[in-house]
């Protein structure tokens, strides 16, 4: 069984320990930045977007629990129609066990109970594994993000 619960303040440093290196790698690959510049951009963006950590208004950080232990994280921005997923991560040791699908189903059930009808997200173009997880959960492509760096 998968349970979604609000992240506690004391859990936020562990989330950042996973998120910042992962996000910096994505920024570096997407925008052609070196590791130091990508890390600096990731840190600046997280400070801008989550200045109060899990207590930041307009954002929701969740822990995904499985059998009473931490299995991953979900970062959402609540919307009138449901939520936008900003980050979704299952811990590496627990991947490929169906927990992502169960967490998405739990999120959908929670949002539907609150009157929501949609979950939106963005997936990095090179993240085929995540794309497959989302497609299997019923998500479909609604657009394409593009950027030009100069």
């Amino acid at each position: 069984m998968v349970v979604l619960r609000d992240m506690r303040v004391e859990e936020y440093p562990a989330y950042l320990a996973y998120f910042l290196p992962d996000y910096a790698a994505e920024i570096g690959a997407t925008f052609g930045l070196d590791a130091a510049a990508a890390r600096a951009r990731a840190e600046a963006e997280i400070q801008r977007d989550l200045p109060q950590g899990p207590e930041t208004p307009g954002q929701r950080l969740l822990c995904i629990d499985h059998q009473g232990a931490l299995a991953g994280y979900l970062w959402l921005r609540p919307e009138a129609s449901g939520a936008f997923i900003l980050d979704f991560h299952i811990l590496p040791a627990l991947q490929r066990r169906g927990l992502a699908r169960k967490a998405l189903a739990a999120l959908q059930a929670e949002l539907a109970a609150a009157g929501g009808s949609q979950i939106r997200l963005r997936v990095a173009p090179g993240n085929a594994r995540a794309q497959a997880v989302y497609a299997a959960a019923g998500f479909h492509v609604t657009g394409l993000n593009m950027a030009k760096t100069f």
Side-chain angles (χ1 to χ4, degrees), residues 3 7 15-16 23 44 46 53 56 68 79 88 103 111 114 116 126 136 140-141:
V3 175
M7 182 183 291
Y15 174 70
L16 289 179
Y23 188 46
I46 198 79
T56 300
E79 299 181 334
F88 179 34
L111 293 171
H140 62 277
V141 176

Side-chain angles (χ1 to χ4, degrees), residues 57-132:
Q59 305 291 329
R60 190 163 175 220
L61 287 168
L62 302 172
C63 289
I64 302 165
D65 283 350
H66 173 64
Q67 298 178 343
L70 179 69
Y73 304 103
L74 257 171
W75 173 12
L76 312 170
R77 182 181 63 233
E79 299 181 334
S81 63
F84 187 93
I85 295 175
L86 294 150
D87 184 48
F88 179 34
H89 178 69
I90 300 296
L91 300 177
L94 299 173
Q95 292 175 2
R96 301 187 185 276
R97 297 183 185 186
L99 297 179
R101 180 181 43 78
K102 290 175 184 177
L104 288 169
L107 176 61
Q108 180 176 328
E110 178 182 310
L111 293 171
S117 61
Q118 185 178 55
I119 301 170
R120 299 182 319 115
L121 54 88
R122 177 196 169 276
V123 181
N127 195 342
R129 193 163 133 205
Q131 291 173 26

Side-chain angles (χ1 to χ4, degrees), residues 136-147:
F139 287 74
H140 62 277
V141 176
T142 60
L144 177 67
N145 292 325
M146 297 180 78

